[in-house]
Amino acid sequence: MSGDHHPELSFWRKYIFSIDHKVIGVQYAVTALVFLMVGFSLIMIMRYQMAYPGQSIPVLGNLLGSDESAYIAADGSMLPEGYNAFGAMHGTIMIFLGVVPLAVGGFGNYVMPLQIGAPDMSFPRLNMASYWVFFVGGVIMLASFFVTGGSANSGWTSYPPLSDIANEGGHYFWNGQTMWLLGMVFLITSSLLGSINFIVTIIHLRAPGLTFFRLPFFVWAQFITAFLLLLAFPPLEAAGVLQLMDRLFDTSFFMPSGLIVGGQILDQYSGGGNPLLWQHLFWFLAHPEVYVLILPAMGIVGDVIANNIRKPLWGYNTLVYSSIFLGFMSFVVWAHHMFITGMGTTLSAFFAATTMIISVPSVIILTCFLISLWGGAIRYTVPMLFALSFLPMFAIGGLTGLPLGLPASDIFLHDTYYVIGHFHYVVAPGTVMALFAGIYYWFPKVTGRSMSKTLGLLHFWPSFICMNAVFMPMFFVGLAGVSRRLWSQEEYELGALTMGWVRMSSWGAWGLGVAQIPFIINFFISIRGKKVDQNPWQATTLEWAAPSPPPHGNFEVTPVVHRGPYEYSVPGHKNDFSPQHISEA
Amino acid sequence: MNFGMLADSRFWLPDDFSEHGGRIDTLINSVHWFMAALFVGWGIFFVYCMVKFRQRPGHTANYTPVKAKVSKYLEVGIVVFEAFLLLYFSIPAWADYRNIPEPKEGADERFEVRVVAQQYAWNIHYPGPDREFGPCRPELVDETTNPVGLDLADPAAADDFVSINNFYMPVNREVFVRLSSKDVIHSFSMAKLRVKQDVIPGMETPIWFKAIKEGETDITCAQLCGLGHYRMKGRAFIVSQQAFDDWFAKASVVEEFDEDDFDD
Amino acid sequence: MSAEVLPYTVKPHPVSGLYSGKMGIWLFLASEVMLFGALFSTYIFLRVGDPAWPSHEETHLSIPIGTINTLILITSSITMVMAWASCKMNNIAKAKMWLTVTAGLALAFLVLKFSLEYYPKIQHGNVPSKSTFYAIYFTMTGLHALHIIGGVAVIAYFIGPGAKLWKTDPEYYTNRIECTGLYWHFVDLVWIFLFPVFYLL
């Protein structure tokens, strides 16, 4: 079927408006990596202001604030406007334009169809549309930095009424917050198209013999993620539409009556709305979103660990069931972000209970990975180092969720740096390290060449150390009771007492920036690097049954699957790995 | 890079002046001991595996999955302990924190204030000696003379006064705060009193607490509220009843307005 | 790779019993349920929280026009089924006729909605910013109208350039009409909820 002759495509159809899942996957991954770099640069600049409030930023300071309309910095030091704008956009870019597109759009698109032995995604044109809609959303987000009044500055959560009245000085339509909402609508649409495609592909295009319980864990992770995207994103789309109405047509969905801003009664609004409505709709998405960020990462970690311990993952079925349960539960925990909005005892007890329950499958998944190591023959390859580092980092991220999920301790910790430390441990040292593992692991499949191990180690160790230097201090700042999102915390009694930790974080962040240089070099030189064969890691899953790089249509012959995904070191078999598609071992 | 301050940096919870804070601190401390125990346990197992089962000549992986009952016990243990934390610590502490006690018959010692948050200041509205708040209306708000929009025509309002950013309260008395906001969402946070409550415009949120030690703590806004979020800073003074009465008598005569607090 | 080469584009999958497009449209509708579900929840949230919610007399929504529009949409659902049935019976001319009728009814719905409902309301100053009732009314019915417009565009496509597919692969074309129909029924169903919620309750 797929060995058919395909006519040569033009450059545009082949590389730009391609409908090949692999090209789209690479487009997603490269765009997302660029966005990750942009989002990370924003925080590296902000961290100067945090560590040295009011002092002019070396080198960049004057670039950011040279003319009069500049809102980011003045006289070389960061303005509160710029700080809030960068803060909001850092979160937005990292989550919606960086991690999700890389984990789902990039790895999901490239690897998933290969792992199930499919020639492509079920809807190739929809797939292309999903990338380009994402791209437009990203461009709108980036463009918002350059309009009058600057980008959105009400946090990545965009809580109204603040966001309803934000960027008032700008254009009626082309202003930061409105563009943020518009960008979000594009990004949500893109995710929606992608998720439909993923689900149909996984159900319909699995190779013969590849039953659901022979799927690599990565495919399962993508499958569950797709459902989360499909069902959790529309409420945010609805919320986005409502906020657009508030901003463009002065409706009052999120505006209560009688607001007075800067001494002026806001009488263009009728009032009667409720700011908490936004929070409910937002967190109904944004909590499942956390699992959208973490599940694909777990999928990558599962695949990489199984390959490098040379034995099957411990408790594969448990892993799958836990992930499904995690997906379901993620829809009923959202209000644990809202304990201190004035929630009563019963409701808070309910959401605290669901939050405690959702910690159980996470613990089970982590335990399965840890026990998998027992009895293995661990190969310390670069992807394995990244995957292993995910485990303790995710453990810290997950455990520190406990005091935040208990309403009583949340009274003190809510909206402090503790929260920032907690979710960054999940998504930065957790998910991002897993994504790096994925890049090193599948790079040979995408390019047919391997990445340099030396540069990989030079990337791993400094990154691992710096990640912890950045985020560990945040717990102490948070436990000291310092609020998040302060342009300067030095004027506060407890803020001043924790400036040492803040500076450590900042230096860690800049170190982390430097630590990415070996990666960037490695990435580019390895495109012309050492050629490797089709299956350099001696892996068992189907993507390694295709040539590297796989041609259009992926497989020379449609593979037939004979066994589970991680059959390593099977007694009596010739090799220590038994690929899924080879019948006699 | 100057990490000299690291040595002086605080790394755990600040002092606690409140009655309910002890339970919050106990909960935070217990959770962290629990977390540390789990993490160290996992860590030892993790490091042991990484060393013991490294690939080396003569060592092969074992295909047969290990029979590990211990993980089941661990998971059940975690569930039980989490349930314990939730049911024994968190829910009762939360209920006491959230549920405002009914006024007692006769001499109710409750001390009541309104706090009206705005970009970027805290208006502490005291009811004056009559212990009754005058009505407030948005259309009467004048940022320099009447920040909370007090209706001075009403007799109850006559002795009301507003203190900006400075919150005086007597020690050892139940303090009831009725929180509201004029513009956007703020969050009323006093770290050393273990109090934090979002202030949602359009609704009045009551909280209560009891300070049991004299001292001072910052009032911080914990919810991003705009460009001046970082300087929405007040100060809470917990003083003896005597000192409070003196201050109260003086303050209820002279209204405290400071225009500097209202630059945009 | 052109879509035709992929398995289950036209023929149903043995296990799911659906061809890929049909499963795709069902999933899409699931997400639409979440979208409109969020908006209906918003309606409830706002209404419960607002003691000054306008009574039926105060809203000036015309039950007769609403009823006519409801009947129009229900009829259009029937004609949509007729179009699909005609495809199944291999009669493309009749199918196109029924598709045209469907699109015509949809346009009639839109004309009534805009000329007799939106326009007079805006004339009388009952704009979205007047109250949260009008805000949610215009937002939800407006979003629904956008769905109708989208549906009309798709139907027009299958009457026009999209019909070329009939010549090469009639089954594939029939499937596409079926998927369009599923979407169309969903859009009607949303109106069936919107009508009582705004006009009657």
Side-chain angles (χ1 to χ4, degrees):
Chain A
M1 150 179 67
S2 38
D4 298 349
H5 177 72
H6 294 287
E8 264 314 299
L9 295 165
S10 70
F11 170 81
W12 285 91
R13 291 298 305 279
K14 201 167 170 185
Y15 296 109
I16 310 296
F17 296 105
S18 172
I19 54 169
D20 183 333
H21 75 98
K22 297 182 294 297
V23 178
I24 297 169
V26 171
Q27 286 175 327
Y28 256 119
V30 171
T31 318
L33 281 169
V34 171
F35 276 125
L36 280 175
M37 219 151 71
V38 173
F40 183 52
S41 307
L42 297 181
I43 202 68
M44 283 200 287
I45 298 169
M46 286 171 74
R47 286 232 63 106
Y48 195 82
Q49 166 62 28
M50 290 184 219
Y52 305 102
Q55 295 184 30
S56 61
I57 304 165
V59 191
L60 286 171
N62 291 319
L63 288 173
L64 291 169
S66 44
D67 64 84
E68 290 204 345
S69 66
Y71 65 96
I72 297 167
D75 299 329
S77 70
M78 187 154 229
L79 293 168
E81 288 89 331
Y83 181 83
N84 284 359
F86 275 23
M89 294 309 282
H90 165 72
T92 307
I93 290 176
M94 289 310 235
I95 292 173
F96 296 107
L97 293 166
V99 173
V100 174
L102 182 56
V104 180
F107 287 117
N109 253 314
Y110 197 100
V111 176
M112 185 273 285
L114 286 167
Q115 284 197 331
I116 63 172
D120 204 319
M121 299 284 266
S122 271
F123 309 113
R125 269 181 239 119
L126 201 63
N127 205 11
M128 177 185 82
S130 132
Y131 172 75
W132 285 104
V133 171
F134 154 75
F135 187 82
V136 172
V139 169
I140 292 173
M141 289 284 186
L142 282 190
S144 75
F145 280 112
F146 303 101
V147 297
T148 319
S151 70
N153 54 19
S154 311
W156 79 280
T157 49
S158 274
Y159 276 8
L162 182 64
S163 56
D164 268 11
I165 56 173
N167 305 95
E168 283 286 88
H171 183 266
Y172 169 70
F173 189 84
W174 299 111
N175 61 67
Q177 183 64 24
T178 306
M179 287 172 81
W180 185 89
L181 290 164
L182 188 70
M184 286 306 292
V185 169
F186 273 90
L187 297 178
I188 293 167
T189 310
S190 156
S191 291
L192 223 56
L193 300 179
S195 60
I196 292 173
N197 215 343
F198 275 53
I199 296 171
V200 175
T201 305
I202 293 172
I203 294 177
H204 277 181
L205 298 188
R206 278 167 294 123
L210 188 59
T211 59
F212 269 97
F213 279 83
R214 282 178 175 176
L215 287 176
F217 185 55
F218 179 76
V219 177
W220 265 111
Q222 291 288 343
F223 191 54
I224 298 158
T225 303
F227 273 102
L228 297 184
L229 286 172
L230 183 77
L231 300 176
F233 253 138
L236 183 66
E237 188 147 30
V241 169
L242 299 179
Q243 198 177 107
L244 272 175
M245 291 291 289
D246 275 8
R247 290 184 62 83
L248 298 177
F249 301 107
D250 293 339
T251 57
S252 301
F253 288 113
F254 307 122
M255 301 295 264
S257 318
L259 293 191
I260 305 158
V261 175
Q264 299 294 312
I265 294 186
L266 297 181
D267 48 12
Q268 72 269 41
Y269 296 99
S270 66
N274 190 329
L276 290 181
L277 175 60
W278 168 270
Q279 297 190 20
H280 281 292
L281 293 171
F282 181 86
W283 288 114
F284 188 82
L285 151 90
H287 201 82
E289 178 75 12
V290 174
Y291 296 93
V292 169
L293 299 169
I294 198 74
L295 275 170
M298 287 173 169
I300 294 170
V301 168
D303 277 17
V304 173
I305 286 189
N307 173 251
N308 286 291
I309 55 176
R310 315 305 293 166
K311 67 186 271 293
L313 280 183
W314 191 85
Y316 170 86
N317 290 8
T318 316
L319 275 173
V320 170
Y321 289 127
S322 301
S323 310
I324 295 172
F325 185 62
L326 205 63
F328 272 109
M329 287 305 291
S330 72
F331 284 99
V332 286
V333 295
W334 80 89
H336 68 207
H337 297 266
M338 300 166 61
F339 283 145
I340 66 156
T341 56
M343 200 182 278
T345 311
T346 322
L347 210 56
S348 78
F350 171 78
F351 282 107
T354 54
T355 306
M356 293 302 116
I357 292 170
I358 206 174
S359 71
V360 175
S362 313
V363 168
I364 293 177
I365 290 172
L366 192 63
T367 314
C368 285
F369 287 151
L370 281 174
I371 296 182
S372 295
L373 302 178
W374 189 275
I378 304 170
R379 279 192 325 208
Y380 289 102
T381 58
V382 176
M384 184 60 167
L385 288 174
F386 277 99
L388 285 175
S389 76
F390 171 88
L391 302 178
M393 299 299 97
F394 175 69
I396 295 176
L399 288 171
T400 50
L402 284 178
L404 297 167
L406 293 163
S409 37
D410 188 53
I411 297 168
F412 182 75
L413 295 172
H414 189 88
D415 271 340
T416 63
Y417 269 95
Y418 196 90
V419 180
I420 314 233
H422 155 67
F423 70 74
H424 277 90
Y425 256 97
V426 177
V427 291
T431 301
V432 171
M433 292 303 248
L435 292 175
F436 278 129
I439 292 174
Y440 284 96
Y441 184 64
W442 282 305
F443 193 88
K445 181 48 54 188
V446 180
T447 59
R449 295 154 198 267
S450 69
M451 289 179 91
S452 150
K453 181 161 184 175
T454 319
L455 285 169
L457 293 175
L458 266 175
H459 176 213
F460 172 75
W461 286 107
S463 293
F464 180 73
I465 293 164
C466 287
M467 284 274 191
N468 286 290
V470 178
F471 299 114
M472 190 56 81
M474 290 186 182
F475 292 125
F476 303 126
V477 180
L479 281 165
V482 180
S483 285
R484 62 190 286 200
R485 290 168 167 173
L486 297 172
W487 175 72
S488 160
Q489 66 175 56
E490 233 175 5
E491 292 82 44
Y492 291 85
E493 177 194 353
L494 294 165
L497 285 173
T498 46
M499 284 307 286
W501 290 121
V502 174
R503 287 185 186 142
M504 179 173 163
S505 262
S506 291
W507 283 95
W510 303 323
L512 187 60
V514 175
Q516 303 317 302
I517 293 172
F519 170 71
I520 297 169
I521 296 172
N522 201 351
F523 191 86
F524 284 106
I525 64 165
S526 300
I527 294 174
R528 298 251 166 281
K530 188 163 67 78
K531 281 200 173 162
V532 287
D533 69 2
Q534 176 172 315
N535 188 3
W537 305 113
Q538 304 191 307
T540 51
T541 43
L542 285 182
E543 75 268 34
W544 306 104
S548 305
H552 202 54
N554 293 345
F555 296 93
E556 278 140 11
V557 231
T558 305
V560 176
V561 172
H562 301 278
R563 56 177 67 80
Y566 305 122
E567 293 295 284
Y568 292 98
S569 304
V570 183
H573 284 197
K574 194 163 74 238
N575 293 319
D576 75 339
F577 64 109
S578 314
Q580 289 188 281
H581 66 289
I582 292 175
S583 59
E584 69 286 328
Chain B
M1 68 179 97
N2 169 23
F3 291 143
M5 287 171 87
L6 209 54
D8 316 323
S9 274
R10 166 166 282 288
F11 85 109
W12 211 252
L13 302 167
D15 304 337
D16 169 33
F17 300 150
S18 73
E19 190 184 46
H20 71 280
R23 294 163 85 180
I24 293 178
D25 293 2
T26 313
L27 177 60
I28 290 177
N29 291 330
S30 333
V31 178
H32 280 86
W33 280 115
F34 169 66
M35 282 152 56
L38 265 182
F39 188 75
V40 169
W42 278 337
I44 292 169
F45 179 82
F46 183 56
V47 172
Y48 178 81
C49 284
M50 287 202 300
V51 176
K52 174 94 195 284
F53 300 108
R54 68 188 188 281
Q55 196 179 49
R56 55 188 186 273
H59 171 75
T60 50
N62 184 3
Y63 177 77
T64 333
V66 55
K67 290 256 184 295
K69 276 262 164 49
V70 68
S71 73
K72 290 231 166 50
Y73 298 140
L74 181 75
E75 277 144 19
V76 171
I78 290 174
V79 173
V80 170
F81 192 73
E82 283 180 358
F84 168 73
L85 287 177
L86 181 63
L87 298 172
Y88 183 77
F89 280 110
S90 180
I91 291 179
W94 179 262
D96 290 350
Y97 174 78
R98 285 294 332 157
N99 298 339
I100 313 291
E102 291 293 312
K104 294 183 202 84
E105 289 292 318
D108 185 17
E109 281 300 292
R110 78 172 55 201
F111 163 72
E112 216 168 324
V113 293
R114 289 177 70 230
V115 171
V116 182
Q118 72 175 77
Q119 288 174 327
Y120 304 101
W122 303 98
N123 302 293
I124 323 285
H125 176 184
Y126 289 85
D130 66 353
R131 298 177 63 179
E132 212 175 312
F133 292 105
C136 295
R137 285 188 243 292
E139 58 275 15
L140 295 175
V141 167
D142 182 307
E143 294 298 352
T144 44
T145 58
N146 192 356
V148 297
L150 202 56
D151 183 359
L152 293 166
D154 194 282
D159 61 347
D160 288 16
F161 63 96
V162 176
S163 161
I164 291 157
N165 289 335
N166 288 332
F167 182 8
Y168 286 85
M169 68 186 92
V171 72
N172 288 326
R173 253 177 87 182
E174 291 173 359
V175 179
F176 291 77
V177 183
R178 289 158 57 180
L179 286 161
S180 58
S181 165
K182 278 156 75 174
D183 37 44
V184 300
I185 300 179
H186 301 276
S187 190
F188 183 69
S189 167
M190 297 185 291
K192 291 185 177 175
L193 282 165
R194 304 294 188 265
V195 165
K196 189 175 291 155
Q197 174 61 49
D198 280 1
V199 192
I200 315 283
M203 57 181 86
E204 194 177 74
T205 318
I207 56 166
W208 77 290
F209 57 90
K210 186 174 175 183
I212 49 170
K213 275 188 207 135
E214 291 178 34
E216 291 179 23
T217 175
D218 280 334
I219 305 174
T220 320
C221 179
Q223 184 66 263
L224 182 66
C225 62
L227 302 179
H229 170 56
Y230 70 95
R231 59 187 161 84
M232 187 164 168
K233 180 184 166 211
R235 191 83 171 149
F237 303 90
I238 307 148
V239 295
S240 67
Q241 185 68 45
Q242 185 57 48
F244 178 76
D245 290 341
D246 293 350
W247 173 84
F248 196 76
K250 220 162 42 183
S252 48
V253 180
V254 191
E255 296 198 359
E256 277 202 2
F257 289 127
D258 181 358
E259 286 188 31
D260 291 345
D261 291 319
F262 288 101
D263 43 355
D264 77 344
Chain C
M1 166 156 305
S2 59
E4 290 77 42
V5 185
L6 290 165
Y8 313 117
T9 303
V10 179
K11 297 285 177 211
H13 185 272
V15 177
S16 71
L18 305 167
Y19 50 88
S20 294
K22 197 162 167 182
M23 179 180 280
I25 203 81
W26 277 117
L27 291 168
F28 174 68
L29 294 183
S31 85
E32 291 279 279
V33 167
M34 295 303 288
L35 177 68
F36 280 100
L39 290 171
F40 277 110
S41 311
T42 301
Y43 170 86
I44 296 168
F45 197 94
L46 290 174
R47 181 167 181 165
V48 168
D50 188 356
W53 196 258
S55 70
H56 176 67
E57 287 70 37
E58 291 163 295
T59 60
H60 307 291
L61 293 185
S62 158
I63 294 179
I65 300 173
T67 313
I68 294 170
N69 261 346
T70 310
L71 291 174
I72 288 177
L73 280 192
I74 291 174
T75 317
S76 81
S77 256
I78 298 169
T79 57
M80 191 73 216
V81 174
M82 297 303 284
W84 176 66
S86 307
C87 284
K88 278 281 187 200
M89 287 184 288
N90 235 347
N91 190 339
I92 181 72
K94 233 178 173 181
K96 280 190 180 177
M97 188 271 286
W98 285 119
L99 285 176
T100 315
V101 174
T102 310
L105 287 168
L107 289 174
F109 172 91
L110 291 174
V111 168
L112 282 179
K113 187 92 210 146
F114 280 87
S115 66
L116 296 179
E117 298 218 77
Y118 284 169
Y119 184 70
K121 268 190 198 64
I122 292 168
Q123 286 283 298
H124 288 106
N126 291 329
V127 289
S129 60
K130 194 182 173 209
S131 70
T132 43
F133 172 82
Y134 285 110
I136 190 77
Y137 167 76
F138 274 99
T139 307
M140 289 189 75
T141 56
L143 199 64
H144 176 258
L146 277 180
H147 277 76
I148 298 263
I149 293 170
V152 171
V154 171
I155 292 170
Y157 173 77
F158 285 123
I159 299 171
K164 270 187 280 180
L165 184 62
W166 175 266
K167 296 196 185 80
T168 52
D169 193 344
E171 193 181 355
Y172 196 9
Y173 180 80
T174 309
N175 286 348
R176 290 185 155 186
I177 298 298
E178 189 185 10
C179 290
T180 313
L182 287 172
Y183 168 78
W184 194 251
H185 300 323
F186 173 80
V187 175
D188 292 354
L189 192 67
V190 171
W191 179 257
I192 306 279
F193 280 96
L194 286 174
F195 176 59
V197 161
F198 285 108
Y199 290 73
L200 305 177
L201 289 177

